[in-house]
């Protein structure tokens, strides 16, 4: 497919400059602030996508939730390394927190919103749980909120609900954009969330596993933050790229696989370094979420589903349905921009395992070229899983609230995305995983210098 910057897009989420600051300075106390984003509206692809609660004393010291405006702003909570800024709370999480990263995360959010057709999967269940009810205020927790863009969008769509965003670094939001139904806190999930147990109707987690050291422990802790009947929504990434058929894994480029993907090489090395050097539990995340949540004792298996969200890395996919082709092109363009920024953000962490800046720049240049000319077209897979908390041990989840008819936020949803594949049972999930994993026969690239001999 050739690139066309003038193709109109009638779907997506915009993030105007006057609503999310890219300046990297926290303006207000982060116990209570947020901003309102415009929701799905009409704009053009070229406008963003270049197609060329409770608190308990025992863990009170594990979080920072009262950050007033201080001299130095974000720098109070960041360290500089290899020209990028990183959080100071968790050295396992390997991506930066600076202006370039904020821009990347906001475009990534738009890509997810367009692909999912809204702000979340399991839309019918989420809408029912968050429907306005007299005498009740639903509460939502966004773990790993990044710039706060998802939290802010949700707080506008559901003004009768309360929202809490948690991240390892302050969110970059201007004070005048703060609604009263939202607050943000600094926290490291690895230190525990007991102060939030039994508090939330919805918990949203997106791409946080890179910073988690014991995935099963943190996953259980997160689920305990749900109220009975509340739903947890997981979205995580597969660090191996898939070929155009979405079944065969594409080998990362190396002397062993000279025709492999250089972008895939960078994501492969990022995961390997995070696990071996940074103590990230990414491998367990892949195993657990790829299997779905049906066997989770805290969740009602009858409410669980899993899904694979496939997104093209670049606007190279065609489809006989013109609307779907346009949607795929837009999603691919956004995620290409996301990944072209993201793989360079890996450099600081990869230099710690002995890879030189010269080598990494060469790999990134080759990855950029692949994505620009589609010489190695690949899909990336995002692993989705969700389920509702039981009413009690071995009990089903409570019935969903009766949804009140209104101008519901679900009205903006875009309809099915053909590359969002939902699994209704553990058997379906297992078959899909087995079929994919049978193709992962490539030889791994040599270990980086600092990991040799481990």
């Amino acid at each position: 497919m050739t690139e066309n910057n003038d193709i109109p897009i009638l779907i997506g989420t915009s993030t105007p400059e006057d609503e999310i600051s890219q300046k990297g300075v926290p303006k207000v106390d982060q116990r209570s602030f947020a901003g309102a984003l415009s929701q799905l509206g009409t704009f053009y692809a070229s406008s963003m996508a270049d197609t060329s609660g409770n608190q308990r004393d025992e863990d009170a010291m594990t979080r920072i939730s009262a950050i007033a405006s201080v001299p130095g702003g974000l720098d109070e909570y960041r360290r500089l390394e290899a020209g990028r800024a990183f959080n100071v709370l968790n050295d396992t999480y390997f991506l930066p927190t600076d202006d370039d990263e904020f821009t990347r995360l906001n475009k990534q959010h738009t890509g997810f919103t367009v692909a999912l057709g809204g702000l979340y999967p399991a839309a019918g269940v989420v809408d029912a749980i968050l429907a306005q009810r007299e005498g009740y205020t639903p509460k939502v927790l966004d773990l790993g909120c990044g710039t706060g863009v998802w939290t802010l969008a949700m707080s506008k769509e559901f003004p009768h609900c309360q929202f809490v965003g948690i991240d390892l670094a302050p969110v970059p939001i201007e004070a005048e954009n703060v609604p009263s139904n939202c607050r943000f806190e600094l926290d490291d999930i690895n230190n525990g969330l007991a102060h939030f147990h039994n508090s939330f109707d919805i918990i949203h987690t997106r791409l946080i596993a890179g910073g988690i050291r014991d995935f099963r422990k943190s996953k259980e802790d997160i689920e305990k933050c749900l109220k009975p009947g509340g739903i947890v929504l997981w979205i995580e990434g597969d660090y191996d790229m898939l070929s155009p058929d979405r079944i065969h894994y594409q080998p990362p480029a190396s002397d062993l696989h000279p025709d492999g993907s250089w972008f895939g090489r960078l994501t492969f090395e990022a995961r390997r370094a995070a696990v071996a050097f940074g103590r990230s539990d990414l491998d367990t995340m892949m195993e657990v979420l790829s299997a779905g949540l049906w066997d989770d004792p805290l969740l009602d298996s009858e409410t669980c589903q899993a899904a694979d969200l496939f997104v093209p890395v670049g606007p190279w996919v065609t489809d006989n349905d013109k609307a779907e082709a346009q949607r795929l092109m837009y999603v691919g363009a956004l995620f290409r921009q996301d990944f072209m920024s993201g793989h360079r953000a890996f450099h600081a962490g990869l230099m710690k395992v002995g890879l030189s800046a010269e080598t990494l720049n060469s790999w990134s240049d080759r990855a950029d070229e692949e994505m620009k000319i589609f010489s190695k077209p690949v899909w990336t897979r995002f692993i989705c899983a969700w389920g509702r908390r039981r009413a009690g041990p071995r009990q089903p989840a409570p019935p969903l609230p009766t949804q009140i008819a209104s101008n519901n936020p679900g009205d903006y949803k875009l309809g099915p995305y053909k590359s969002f594949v939902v699994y209704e049972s553990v058997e379906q999930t297992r078959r899909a995983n087995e079929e994919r994993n049978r193709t992962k026969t490539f030889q791994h690239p040599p270990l980086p210098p600092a990991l040799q001999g481990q």
Side-chain angles (χ1 to χ4, degrees):
M1 176 182 291
T2 59
E3 298 183 53
N4 184 343
N5 290 343
D6 297 321
I7 292 178
I9 282 288
L10 303 180
I11 53 179
T13 305
S14 59
T15 53
E17 293 295 330
D18 61 348
E19 293 181 353
I20 292 187
S21 168
Q22 300 297 336
K23 301 301 182 184
V25 180
K27 300 296 185 182
V28 294
D29 186 328
Q30 298 214 354
R31 287 174 300 183
S32 179
F33 71 88
L37 295 181
S38 61
Q39 280 304 295
L40 295 175
T42 300
F43 55 88
Y44 287 86
S46 55
S47 68
M48 179 169 280
D50 177 9
T51 61
S52 86
N54 294 328
Q55 297 187 357
R56 286 166 48 174
D57 292 338
E58 61 262 36
D59 66 351
M61 297 303 293
T62 72
R63 68 189 189 280
I64 305 170
S65 59
I67 301 178
S69 181
V70 293
L74 280 177
D75 291 338
E76 188 78 10
Y77 306 96
R78 303 191 298 184
R79 56 182 172 81
L80 295 178
E81 185 176 335
R84 301 297 299 268
F86 294 83
N87 82 87
V88 298
L89 297 184
N90 178 332
D91 59 5
T92 298
Y93 187 73
F94 49 84
L95 286 170
T97 174
D98 53 24
D99 289 356
D100 287 346
E101 181 69 357
F102 299 152
T103 299
R104 184 186 75 83
L105 290 174
N106 287 341
K107 289 189 176 182
Q108 180 190 84
H109 167 80
T110 304
F112 276 120
T113 304
V114 176
L116 290 171
L119 291 165
Y120 38 82
V125 177
V126 172
D127 290 345
I129 290 173
L130 296 185
Q132 192 163 1
R133 287 168 278 161
E134 185 175 357
Y136 186 76
T137 302
K139 296 181 180 179
V140 179
L141 177 63
D142 185 15
L143 291 173
C145 64
T147 65
V149 62
W150 187 89
T151 324
L152 304 180
M154 289 290 288
S155 71
K156 180 178 181 181
E157 288 299 325
F158 298 95
H160 59 282
C161 300
Q162 292 184 357
F163 295 84
V164 178
I166 301 292
D167 204 78
L168 294 165
V171 294
I173 301 174
E174 298 288 345
E176 59 266 24
N177 294 315
V178 295
S180 60
N181 65 334
C182 193
R183 79 172 193 269
F184 291 84
E185 296 184 359
L186 286 182
D187 204 350
D188 182 353
I189 294 168
N190 293 289
N191 295 330
L193 294 168
H195 55 291
F196 282 146
H197 284 181
N198 304 302
S199 297
F200 293 95
D201 300 275
I202 308 284
I203 298 178
H204 174 260
T205 77
R206 190 165 74 194
L207 304 181
I208 66 171
I212 293 179
R213 300 187 189 104
D214 184 336
F215 186 79
R216 285 188 172 88
K217 177 178 178 293
S218 291
K219 174 176 161 294
E220 180 181 1
D221 197 27
I222 289 167
E223 290 168 356
K224 287 180 178 178
C225 296
L226 290 169
K227 297 177 183 179
I231 189 171
V232 61
L233 307 169
W234 285 94
I235 301 178
E236 290 292 340
D238 185 341
Y239 283 71
D240 291 313
M241 299 299 108
L242 288 160
S243 298
D245 64 8
R246 297 197 323 219
I247 296 174
H248 292 82
Y249 278 104
Q250 178 80 259
S254 68
D255 290 342
L256 298 169
H257 296 285
D259 293 330
S261 164
W262 285 104
F263 174 58
R265 177 66 181 271
L266 285 154
T267 58
F268 179 91
E269 295 294 356
R271 179 187 58 196
R272 181 156 67 176
V275 171
F277 197 79
R279 297 174 293 140
S280 173
D281 201 13
L282 279 169
D283 290 342
T284 301
M285 175 277 291
M286 284 285 296
E287 175 189 347
V288 171
L289 291 188
S290 291
L293 305 175
W294 286 277
D295 294 332
D296 194 310
L298 286 173
L299 303 181
D300 180 354
S301 61
E302 295 298 316
T303 69
C304 293
Q305 287 184 307
D308 287 328
L309 174 64
F310 298 99
V311 300
V313 182
W316 57 266
V317 180
T318 60
D319 194 280
N320 292 330
D321 182 329
K322 290 184 178 179
E324 184 70 6
Q326 186 183 55
R327 187 174 180 180
L328 283 164
M329 186 187 72
Y330 189 63
V331 169
L334 283 166
F335 276 98
R336 179 174 64 179
Q337 292 184 32
D338 171 9
F339 294 143
M340 288 176 74
S341 174
H343 67 68
R344 293 184 185 276
F346 295 154
H347 287 195
L350 292 177
M351 283 190 279
K352 292 181 179 179
V353 297
L355 294 169
S356 70
E358 181 181 9
T359 294
L360 293 170
N361 285 328
S362 174
W363 290 357
S364 283
D365 289 344
R366 295 183 193 185
D368 286 348
E369 187 67 15
E370 287 176 357
M371 287 188 264
K372 287 176 181 176
I373 66 173
F374 315 141
S375 61
K376 294 288 187 302
V378 294
W379 294 85
T380 191
R381 178 175 75 107
F382 292 102
I383 310 155
C384 307
W386 56 88
R388 296 175 59 220
R389 188 173 180 179
R390 296 179 181 274
R394 295 179 295 279
Q395 297 180 21
L400 283 171
T402 301
Q403 193 167 341
I404 300 171
S406 66
N407 292 324
N408 188 54
D411 292 345
Y412 64 74
K413 296 179 178 63
L414 305 176
Y417 172 69
K418 293 179 183 178
S419 299
F420 185 57
V421 181
V422 178
Y423 306 108
E424 304 288 346
S425 69
V426 66
E427 290 79 12
Q428 290 180 7
T429 305
R430 185 179 64 249
R431 284 196 297 270
N433 289 327
E434 288 176 349
E435 184 177 14
R436 259 192 314 273
N437 289 333
R438 277 197 299 268
T439 75
K440 196 179 284 190
T441 57
F442 56 81
Q443 291 181 275
H444 290 185
L447 285 168
L451 300 183
Q452 292 175 11
Q454 289 193 3

